[in-house]
Amino acid sequence: MAIMITKVSGVGGPPPTHIRVESTVTGCETVHVSTSCSTKLVQVSILTGSLNQWSVNVPNDKNCGCGNPVTVTAYCSLGTPQETSATATLTIVCCPTV
């Protein structure tokens, strides 16, 4: 297991202005992340070591709503194993604002 996408959530909005992607990765220094809710590719720098948790906010420029499915793709572009990727389709979870 090099990359495992664990959760997506909406940030801001409604609709959410960003989609927060949470994941774990092993043996990778740089991860690139894209979602079906954005035209942007976001880069994440990872501390090297064993299992690392990371998260990143990706713009929601396609205005995906809370409760909608989003497909997330993440790939390791620097590190070992290089060119390892993961894709997951998850539901956007949004917490109500107080």
Coordinates of all heavy atoms in Angstrom, one line a residue:
M1 N 0.8 -1.2 0.0 CA 0.0 0.0 0.0 C 0.9 1.2 0.0 O 1.7 1.4 0.9 CB -0.9 0.0 1.2 CG -1.7 1.3 1.4 SD -2.4 1.5 3.0 CE -1.0 2.2 3.9
A2 N 0.8 2.1 -1.0 CA 1.5 3.3 -1.0 C 0.6 4.5 -0.7 O 1.0 5.3 0.1 CB 2.2 3.5 -2.4
I3 N -0.5 4.5 -1.4 CA -1.5 5.6 -1.1 C -2.9 5.1 -0.8 O -3.3 4.2 -1.6 CB -1.6 6.6 -2.4 CG1 -0.2 7.2 -2.7 CG2 -2.6 7.7 -2.2 CD1 -0.2 8.0 -4.0
M4 N -3.5 5.6 0.2 CA -4.9 5.2 0.5 C -5.7 6.5 0.8 O -5.4 7.2 1.8 CB -5.0 4.3 1.7 CG -6.4 3.9 2.0 SD -6.6 2.8 3.4 CE -6.1 1.2 2.6
I5 N -6.7 6.8 -0.1 CA -7.6 7.9 0.1 C -8.6 7.5 1.1 O -9.3 6.6 1.0 CB -8.2 8.4 -1.2 CG1 -7.1 8.7 -2.2 CG2 -9.1 9.5 -1.0 CD1 -7.5 8.7 -3.6
T6 N -8.7 8.3 2.3 CA -9.6 7.9 3.4 C -10.9 8.7 3.5 O -11.8 8.2 4.0 CB -8.8 7.9 4.7 OG1 -8.3 9.2 4.9 CG2 -7.7 6.9 4.7
K7 N -10.9 10.0 3.1 CA -12.0 10.8 3.4 C -12.0 12.1 2.5 O -11.0 12.6 2.2 CB -12.0 11.3 4.9 CG -13.2 12.1 5.3 CD -13.1 12.4 6.8 CE -14.2 13.3 7.2 NZ -14.0 13.7 8.6
V8 N -13.2 12.5 2.1 CA -13.4 13.8 1.5 C -14.5 14.6 2.2 O -15.4 14.0 2.7 CB -13.7 13.7 0.0 CG1 -12.6 13.1 -0.8 CG2 -15.0 12.9 -0.3
S9 N -14.3 15.9 2.3 CA -15.3 16.7 3.0 C -15.3 18.1 2.3 O -14.3 18.5 1.7 CB -15.0 16.8 4.5 OG -13.6 17.3 4.7
G10 N -16.5 18.7 2.4 CA -16.7 20.0 1.8 C -16.2 21.1 2.8 O -16.4 21.0 4.0
V11 N -15.6 22.1 2.3 CA -15.1 23.2 3.1 C -15.7 24.5 2.5 O -15.6 24.8 1.3 CB -13.6 23.3 3.0 CG1 -13.1 24.5 3.8 CG2 -12.9 22.1 3.5
G12 N -16.4 25.3 3.4 CA -17.0 26.6 2.9 C -18.3 26.3 2.3 O -18.8 25.2 2.3
G13 N -18.9 27.4 1.7 CA -20.1 27.2 0.9 C -21.3 27.4 1.7 O -21.3 28.0 2.7
P14 N -22.5 27.0 1.2 CA -22.7 26.0 0.1 C -22.8 26.7 -1.3 O -23.2 27.8 -1.3 CB -24.0 25.4 0.5 CG -24.8 26.5 1.3 CD -23.7 27.3 1.9
P15 N -22.5 25.9 -2.3 CA -21.8 24.6 -2.3 C -20.4 24.9 -1.7 O -19.9 26.0 -1.7 CB -21.7 24.2 -3.7 CG -21.8 25.4 -4.5 CD -22.6 26.4 -3.7
P16 N -19.7 23.8 -1.3 CA -18.4 23.9 -0.8 C -17.4 24.7 -1.8 O -17.5 24.5 -3.0 CB -17.9 22.5 -0.6 CG -19.1 21.7 -0.5 CD -20.1 22.4 -1.4
T17 N -16.6 25.5 -1.2 CA -15.6 26.2 -2.1 C -14.4 25.3 -2.3 O -13.7 25.5 -3.3 CB -15.1 27.5 -1.4 OG1 -14.6 27.2 -0.1 CG2 -16.3 28.5 -1.3
H18 N -14.1 24.4 -1.4 CA -13.0 23.4 -1.6 C -13.4 22.0 -1.1 O -14.4 21.9 -0.3 CB -11.8 23.9 -0.7 CG -11.2 25.1 -1.2 ND1 -11.6 26.4 -1.0 CD2 -10.0 25.3 -2.0 CE1 -10.9 27.3 -1.6 NE2 -9.9 26.6 -2.2
I19 N -12.7 21.1 -1.7 CA -12.9 19.7 -1.3 C -11.6 19.3 -0.5 O -10.5 19.4 -1.1 CB -13.1 18.7 -2.5 CG1 -14.3 19.2 -3.3 CG2 -13.3 17.3 -2.0 CD1 -15.6 19.2 -2.6
R20 N -11.8 18.9 0.8 CA -10.6 18.5 1.6 C -10.5 17.0 1.4 O -11.4 16.2 1.7 CB -10.9 18.8 3.0 CG -9.7 18.5 3.9 CD -9.9 19.1 5.3 NE -8.7 19.0 6.1 CZ -7.7 19.8 6.0 NH1 -7.7 20.8 5.2 NH2 -6.6 19.7 6.8
V21 N -9.3 16.6 0.9 CA -9.0 15.2 0.7 C -8.0 14.8 1.8 O -7.0 15.4 2.1 CB -8.3 15.0 -0.7 CG1 -7.8 13.6 -0.9 CG2 -9.2 15.5 -1.8
E22 N -8.3 13.7 2.5 CA -7.5 13.1 3.5 C -7.0 11.7 3.1 O -7.7 11.0 2.5 CB -8.2 13.0 4.8 CG -8.7 14.4 5.4 CD -9.4 14.3 6.7 OE1 -9.1 13.4 7.5 OE2 -10.3 15.1 6.9
S23 N -5.7 11.4 3.4 CA -5.1 10.2 2.9 C -3.9 9.8 3.7 O -3.5 10.5 4.6 CB -4.6 10.5 1.4 OG -4.0 9.3 0.9
T24 N -3.5 8.6 3.5 CA -2.2 8.1 4.0 C -1.3 7.7 2.9 O -1.8 7.3 1.8 CB -2.4 6.9 5.0 OG1 -3.1 5.9 4.3 CG2 -3.2 7.3 6.2
V25 N 0.0 7.8 3.1 CA 0.9 7.4 2.1 C 2.2 6.8 2.7 O 2.5 7.2 3.8 CB 1.3 8.6 1.2 CG1 2.0 9.7 2.0 CG2 2.1 8.2 -0.1
T26 N 2.8 5.9 2.0 CA 4.1 5.3 2.5 C 5.1 5.5 1.4 O 4.9 5.2 0.3 CB 3.9 3.8 2.8 OG1 2.8 3.6 3.7 CG2 5.1 3.2 3.3
G27 N 6.3 5.9 1.8 CA 7.4 6.0 0.9 C 7.3 6.9 -0.2 O 7.9 6.7 -1.3
C28 N 6.7 8.0 0.0 CA 6.5 9.0 -1.1 C 6.8 10.4 -0.6 O 6.4 10.7 0.5 CB 5.0 8.9 -1.7 SG 4.8 9.9 -3.1
E29 N 7.5 11.2 -1.4 CA 7.8 12.6 -1.0 C 6.9 13.6 -1.6 O 6.8 14.7 -1.0 CB 9.3 12.9 -1.4 CG 10.3 11.9 -0.7 CD 11.7 12.2 -1.2 OE1 12.1 13.3 -1.5 OE2 12.4 11.2 -1.4
T30 N 6.4 13.4 -2.7 CA 5.5 14.3 -3.4 C 4.3 13.6 -3.9 O 4.4 12.6 -4.7 CB 6.2 15.1 -4.5 OG1 7.3 15.8 -4.0 CG2 5.3 16.2 -5.1
V31 N 3.1 14.1 -3.6 CA 1.8 13.5 -4.1 C 1.1 14.6 -4.9 O 1.0 15.7 -4.5 CB 0.9 13.0 -3.0 CG1 -0.4 12.5 -3.5 CG2 1.6 11.9 -2.2
H32 N 0.5 14.2 -6.1 CA -0.3 15.1 -6.8 C -1.7 14.6 -6.7 O -2.0 13.4 -6.8 CB 0.1 15.1 -8.3 CG 1.3 15.9 -8.6 ND1 2.6 15.4 -8.4 CD2 1.5 17.2 -8.9 CE1 3.5 16.3 -8.7 NE2 2.9 17.4 -9.0
V33 N -2.7 15.5 -6.5 CA -4.1 15.2 -6.3 C -5.0 15.9 -7.2 O -4.8 17.1 -7.4 CB -4.5 15.5 -4.8 CG1 -5.9 15.1 -4.5 CG2 -3.5 14.9 -3.8
S34 N -5.9 15.2 -7.8 CA -7.0 15.8 -8.6 C -8.3 15.2 -8.2 O -8.4 14.1 -7.6 CB -6.7 15.5 -10.1 OG -6.8 14.1 -10.4
T35 N -9.4 16.0 -8.5 CA -10.7 15.5 -8.2 C -11.6 15.7 -9.4 O -11.3 16.6 -10.2 CB -11.4 16.1 -6.9 OG1 -11.7 17.5 -7.3 CG2 -10.4 16.1 -5.7
S36 N -12.8 15.0 -9.4 CA -13.7 15.2 -10.5 C -14.5 16.5 -10.3 O -15.3 17.0 -11.1 CB -14.7 14.1 -10.5 OG -15.4 13.9 -9.3
C37 N -14.3 17.2 -9.1 CA -14.9 18.5 -8.8 C -14.0 19.7 -9.2 O -14.4 20.8 -8.9 CB -15.3 18.6 -7.4 SG -16.6 17.4 -6.9
S38 N -12.9 19.5 -9.8 CA -11.9 20.6 -10.1 C -11.2 20.3 -11.3 O -10.9 19.2 -11.7 CB -11.0 20.7 -8.9 OG -10.1 21.8 -9.1
T39 N -10.7 21.4 -11.9 CA -9.8 21.3 -13.1 C -8.4 21.5 -12.7 O -7.5 21.4 -13.5 CB -10.2 22.4 -14.1 OG1 -10.0 23.7 -13.5 CG2 -11.6 22.3 -14.7
K40 N -8.2 21.7 -11.4 CA -6.8 21.9 -10.8 C -6.2 20.6 -10.4 O -6.8 19.7 -9.8 CB -6.9 22.9 -9.6 CG -7.7 24.1 -9.9 CD -6.9 25.1 -10.7 CE -7.7 26.4 -10.8 NZ -7.6 27.2 -11.9
L41 N -4.8 20.6 -10.5 CA -4.0 19.5 -9.9 C -3.2 20.1 -8.8 O -2.6 21.2 -9.0 CB -3.1 19.0 -11.0 CG -2.1 17.8 -10.6 CD1 -2.9 16.6 -10.3 CD2 -1.1 17.6 -11.7
V42 N -3.3 19.6 -7.6 CA -2.7 20.1 -6.4 C -1.5 19.2 -6.0 O -1.7 18.0 -6.0 CB -3.7 20.3 -5.3 CG1 -3.1 20.8 -4.0 CG2 -4.9 21.2 -5.7
Q43 N -0.4 19.8 -5.6 CA 0.8 19.1 -5.1 C 0.9 19.1 -3.6 O 0.6 20.2 -3.0 CB 2.0 19.7 -5.8 CG 3.3 19.0 -5.4 CD 4.5 19.6 -6.1 OE1 4.5 19.7 -7.3 NE2 5.5 19.9 -5.3
V44 N 1.2 18.0 -3.0 CA 1.4 17.9 -1.6 C 2.8 17.4 -1.3 O 3.2 16.3 -1.8 CB 0.3 16.9 -0.9 CG1 0.5 16.9 0.6 CG2 -1.1 17.3 -1.3
S45 N 3.5 18.1 -0.4 CA 4.8 17.6 0.0 C 4.6 16.7 1.3 O 3.9 17.1 2.2 CB 5.8 18.7 0.3 OG 6.0 19.5 -0.9
I46 N 5.3 15.6 1.3 CA 5.1 14.6 2.4 C 6.5 14.5 3.1 O 7.5 14.4 2.5 CB 4.7 13.3 1.9 CG1 3.5 13.4 0.9 CG2 4.5 12.3 3.0 CD1 2.2 13.8 1.6
L47 N 6.4 14.5 4.4 CA 7.6 14.1 5.2 C 8.0 12.7 5.0 O 7.1 11.8 5.0 CB 7.4 14.4 6.7 CG 7.1 15.8 7.1 CD1 6.8 15.9 8.6 CD2 8.3 16.7 6.8
T48 N 9.2 12.4 4.7 CA 9.6 11.0 4.4 C 9.6 10.2 5.7 O 9.7 10.8 6.8 CB 11.0 10.9 3.8 OG1 12.0 11.6 4.6 CG2 11.0 11.6 2.4
G49 N 9.5 9.0 5.6 CA 9.4 8.1 6.8 C 8.5 6.9 6.5 O 8.2 6.5 5.4
S50 N 7.9 6.4 7.6 CA 6.9 5.3 7.4 C 5.6 5.8 6.9 O 5.5 6.6 6.0 CB 6.8 4.5 8.7 OG 6.4 5.4 9.7
L51 N 4.5 5.4 7.6 CA 3.2 5.8 7.2 C 2.9 7.2 7.5 O 3.1 7.6 8.7 CB 2.1 4.9 7.8 CG 0.7 5.1 7.5 CD1 0.4 4.8 6.0 CD2 -0.2 4.3 8.4
N52 N 2.5 8.1 6.6 CA 2.3 9.5 6.8 C 0.8 9.8 6.5 O 0.3 9.4 5.4 CB 3.2 10.4 6.0 CG 4.6 10.3 6.4 OD1 4.9 10.8 7.5 ND2 5.5 9.7 5.7
Q53 N 0.2 10.6 7.3 CA -1.2 11.1 7.0 C -1.0 12.5 6.4 O -0.1 13.2 6.9 CB -2.0 11.1 8.3 CG -2.3 9.8 8.9 CD -3.2 9.9 10.1 OE1 -3.3 10.9 10.7 NE2 -3.7 8.7 10.5
W54 N -1.8 12.8 5.5 CA -1.8 14.1 4.9 C -3.2 14.5 4.5 O -4.1 13.7 4.3 CB -0.8 14.2 3.7 CG -1.1 13.3 2.6 CD1 -0.6 12.0 2.4 CD2 -2.0 13.5 1.5 NE1 -1.1 11.4 1.3 CE2 -2.0 12.3 0.7 CE3 -2.8 14.5 1.1 CZ2 -2.7 12.2 -0.5 CZ3 -3.5 14.4 -0.1 CH2 -3.5 13.2 -0.9
S55 N -3.4 15.8 4.3 CA -4.7 16.4 3.8 C -4.4 17.6 2.9 O -3.3 18.2 3.1 CB -5.6 16.7 4.9 OG -5.1 17.7 5.7
V56 N -5.3 17.9 2.0 CA -5.1 19.0 1.1 C -6.5 19.5 0.7 O -7.4 18.7 0.6 CB -4.2 18.7 -0.1 CG1 -4.9 17.7 -1.0 CG2 -3.8 20.0 -0.8
N57 N -6.6 20.8 0.5 CA -7.9 21.4 0.0 C -7.7 21.7 -1.5 O -6.8 22.4 -1.9 CB -8.2 22.7 0.7 CG -8.6 22.5 2.2 OD1 -9.0 21.4 2.6 ND2 -8.6 23.6 2.9
V58 N -8.6 21.0 -2.2 CA -8.6 21.2 -3.7 C -9.8 22.1 -4.0 O -10.9 21.9 -3.5 CB -8.8 19.8 -4.4 CG1 -8.8 20.0 -5.9 CG2 -7.7 18.9 -4.0
P59 N -9.6 23.1 -4.9 CA -10.7 24.0 -5.3 C -11.9 23.2 -5.8 O -11.7 22.2 -6.6 CB -10.1 24.9 -6.4 CG -8.6 24.8 -6.2 CD -8.4 23.5 -5.6
N60 N -13.1 23.6 -5.5 CA -14.3 23.0 -6.0 C -14.9 23.9 -7.1 O -16.0 24.5 -7.0 CB -15.4 22.9 -4.9 CG -16.6 22.2 -5.3 OD1 -16.7 21.5 -6.4 ND2 -17.7 22.3 -4.6
D61 N -14.1 24.1 -8.2 CA -14.5 25.0 -9.3 C -15.6 24.4 -10.2 O -16.1 25.1 -11.1 CB -13.3 25.5 -10.1 CG -12.4 24.3 -10.6 OD1 -12.7 23.2 -10.4 OD2 -11.3 24.6 -11.2
K62 N -16.0 23.2 -9.9 CA -17.2 22.6 -10.7 C -18.4 22.6 -9.8 O -19.4 22.1 -10.2 CB -16.8 21.2 -11.2 CG -15.7 21.2 -12.2 CD -15.5 19.8 -12.8 CE -14.4 19.9 -13.9 NZ -14.2 18.5 -14.4
N63 N -18.4 23.2 -8.6 CA -19.5 23.4 -7.7 C -20.2 22.1 -7.3 O -21.4 22.0 -7.3 CB -20.5 24.4 -8.3 CG -19.9 25.8 -8.4 OD1 -19.2 26.2 -7.5 ND2 -20.1 26.5 -9.5
C64 N -19.5 21.1 -7.0 CA -20.1 19.8 -6.5 C -20.7 20.1 -5.1 O -20.1 20.8 -4.3 CB -19.0 18.8 -6.4 SG -18.3 18.3 -7.9
G65 N -21.8 19.5 -4.9 CA -22.5 19.8 -3.6 C -22.3 18.7 -2.6 O -21.8 17.6 -2.8
C66 N -22.7 19.1 -1.4 CA -22.6 18.1 -0.2 C -23.4 16.9 -0.6 O -24.5 17.0 -1.1 CB -23.1 18.8 1.0 SG -22.1 20.2 1.5
G67 N -22.9 15.7 -0.2 CA -23.7 14.5 -0.5 C -23.4 13.9 -1.9 O -23.9 12.8 -2.1
N68 N -22.8 14.7 -2.7 CA -22.5 14.2 -4.1 C -21.2 13.3 -4.1 O -20.3 13.5 -3.2 CB -22.3 15.3 -5.0 CG -23.5 16.1 -5.4 OD1 -24.6 15.7 -4.9 ND2 -23.4 17.1 -6.2
P69 N -21.1 12.4 -5.0 CA -19.9 11.6 -5.1 C -18.8 12.4 -5.8 O -19.1 13.3 -6.6 CB -20.3 10.4 -6.1 CG -21.5 11.0 -6.9 CD -22.2 12.0 -6.0
V70 N -17.6 12.2 -5.4 CA -16.4 12.8 -6.0 C -15.4 11.7 -6.2 O -15.1 10.9 -5.3 CB -15.9 14.0 -5.2 CG1 -15.5 13.6 -3.8 CG2 -14.7 14.7 -5.9
T71 N -14.7 11.7 -7.4 CA -13.7 10.8 -7.6 C -12.3 11.5 -7.4 O -12.1 12.6 -8.0 CB -13.7 10.2 -9.1 OG1 -15.0 9.6 -9.2 CG2 -12.6 9.3 -9.4
V72 N -11.5 10.9 -6.6 CA -10.2 11.5 -6.2 C -9.1 10.6 -6.8 O -9.2 9.4 -6.6 CB -10.0 11.7 -4.7 CG1 -8.7 12.2 -4.4 CG2 -11.1 12.5 -4.1
T73 N -8.1 11.2 -7.4 CA -7.0 10.5 -7.9 C -5.7 11.1 -7.3 O -5.6 12.3 -7.3 CB -6.8 10.5 -9.4 OG1 -8.0 9.9 -10.0 CG2 -5.6 9.7 -9.9
A74 N -4.9 10.3 -6.7 CA -3.6 10.8 -6.1 C -2.5 9.9 -6.6 O -2.6 8.7 -6.7 CB -3.7 10.7 -4.6
Y75 N -1.4 10.5 -7.0 CA -0.3 9.7 -7.5 C 1.0 10.2 -6.9 O 1.2 11.4 -6.7 CB -0.2 9.6 -9.0 CG 0.1 10.9 -9.7 CD1 1.4 11.2 -10.0 CD2 -0.9 11.7 -10.2 CE1 1.7 12.4 -10.7 CE2 -0.6 12.8 -10.9 CZ 0.7 13.2 -11.1 OH 1.0 14.3 -11.8
C76 N 2.0 9.3 -6.6 CA 3.3 9.6 -6.1 C 4.2 10.0 -7.2 O 4.4 9.2 -8.2 CB 3.8 8.4 -5.4 SG 5.5 8.7 -4.6
S77 N 4.7 11.3 -7.2 CA 5.5 11.7 -8.3 C 7.0 11.8 -7.9 O 7.9 11.9 -8.8 CB 5.1 13.1 -8.8 OG 5.2 14.0 -7.8
L78 N 7.3 11.6 -6.6 CA 8.7 11.6 -6.2 C 8.8 10.7 -4.9 O 8.0 10.9 -3.9 CB 9.1 13.0 -5.8 CG 10.6 13.2 -5.3 CD1 11.6 12.7 -6.3 CD2 10.8 14.6 -4.9
G79 N 9.6 9.8 -5.0 CA 9.8 8.9 -3.9 C 9.7 7.4 -4.3 O 9.7 7.1 -5.5
T80 N 9.7 6.5 -3.3 CA 9.6 5.1 -3.6 C 8.3 4.6 -3.0 O 8.1 4.8 -1.9 CB 10.8 4.4 -3.0 OG1 12.0 5.0 -3.5 CG2 10.8 2.9 -3.4
P81 N 7.4 3.9 -3.7 CA 7.5 3.6 -5.1 C 7.1 4.7 -6.0 O 6.0 5.3 -5.8 CB 6.6 2.4 -5.3 CG 5.6 2.6 -4.2 CD 6.3 3.3 -3.1
Q82 N 7.9 5.1 -7.0 CA 7.5 6.2 -7.9 C 6.3 5.7 -8.8 O 6.2 4.6 -9.1 CB 8.7 6.6 -8.7 CG 8.9 8.0 -8.8 CD 10.2 8.4 -9.4 OE1 11.1 7.6 -9.7 NE2 10.4 9.7 -9.7
E83 N 5.5 6.7 -9.2 CA 4.4 6.5 -10.1 C 3.3 5.5 -9.5 O 2.6 4.9 -10.3 CB 4.9 6.0 -11.5 CG 5.7 7.0 -12.2 CD 5.1 8.4 -12.3 OE1 3.9 8.5 -12.6 OE2 5.8 9.4 -12.3
T84 N 3.2 5.4 -8.2 CA 2.2 4.7 -7.6 C 1.0 5.6 -7.5 O 1.1 6.8 -7.2 CB 2.6 4.2 -6.2 OG1 3.7 3.3 -6.3 CG2 1.4 3.5 -5.5
S85 N -0.2 5.1 -7.8 CA -1.4 5.9 -7.7 C -2.6 5.2 -7.0 O -2.6 4.0 -6.8 CB -1.9 6.3 -9.1 OG -2.3 5.2 -9.9
A86 N -3.6 6.0 -6.7 CA -4.8 5.5 -6.1 C -6.0 6.3 -6.6 O -5.8 7.5 -6.7 CB -4.7 5.5 -4.5
T87 N -7.1 5.7 -6.8 CA -8.3 6.4 -7.2 C -9.4 5.9 -6.3 O -9.5 4.7 -6.1 CB -8.6 6.2 -8.7 OG1 -7.6 6.6 -9.4 CG2 -9.9 6.9 -9.1
A88 N -10.3 6.8 -5.8 CA -11.4 6.4 -5.0 C -12.6 7.3 -5.2 O -12.4 8.5 -5.5 CB -11.0 6.5 -3.5
T89 N -13.8 6.8 -5.2 CA -15.0 7.6 -5.3 C -15.7 7.6 -4.0 O -16.0 6.5 -3.5 CB -15.9 7.1 -6.4 OG1 -15.2 7.1 -7.7 CG2 -17.2 7.9 -6.5
L90 N -15.8 8.8 -3.4 CA -16.3 8.9 -2.0 C -17.4 10.0 -2.1 O -17.5 10.8 -3.0 CB -15.3 9.3 -1.0 CG -14.1 8.4 -0.9 CD1 -12.9 9.0 -0.1 CD2 -14.5 7.1 -0.2
T91 N -18.2 10.0 -1.0 CA -19.3 11.0 -0.9 C -18.8 12.3 -0.2 O -18.1 12.1 0.9 CB -20.5 10.5 -0.1 OG1 -21.0 9.3 -0.9 CG2 -21.6 11.5 0.0
I92 N -19.1 13.4 -0.7 CA -18.6 14.7 0.0 C -19.5 14.9 1.3 O -20.7 15.0 1.2 CB -18.8 15.9 -0.9 CG1 -18.0 15.7 -2.2 CG2 -18.4 17.2 -0.2 CD1 -18.3 16.8 -3.3
V93 N -18.8 14.9 2.4 CA -19.4 15.1 3.7 C -19.2 16.5 4.1 O -18.1 17.1 4.1 CB -18.7 14.2 4.8 CG1 -19.3 14.4 6.1 CG2 -18.9 12.7 4.4
C94 N -20.3 17.2 4.5 CA -20.2 18.6 4.9 C -20.9 18.7 6.3 O -21.9 18.1 6.5 CB -21.0 19.5 4.0 SG -20.4 19.5 2.3
C95 N -20.1 19.3 7.2 CA -20.7 19.5 8.5 C -21.5 20.8 8.5 O -21.0 21.8 7.9 CB -19.5 19.6 9.5 SG -18.6 18.1 9.7
P96 N -22.6 20.9 9.2 CA -23.4 22.1 9.3 C -22.6 23.2 10.0 O -21.9 22.9 11.0 CB -24.7 21.7 10.0 CG -24.3 20.4 10.7 CD -23.2 19.8 9.9
T97 N -22.7 24.4 9.6 CA -22.1 25.5 10.3 C -23.0 26.0 11.4 O -24.2 25.9 11.4 CB -21.8 26.7 9.3 OG1 -23.1 27.1 8.8 CG2 -20.8 26.3 8.3
V98 N -22.4 26.4 12.5 CA -23.1 26.8 13.7 C -23.4 28.3 13.6 O -22.7 29.1 13.2 CB -22.4 26.5 15.0 CG1 -23.1 27.0 16.2 CG2 -22.1 25.0 15.0

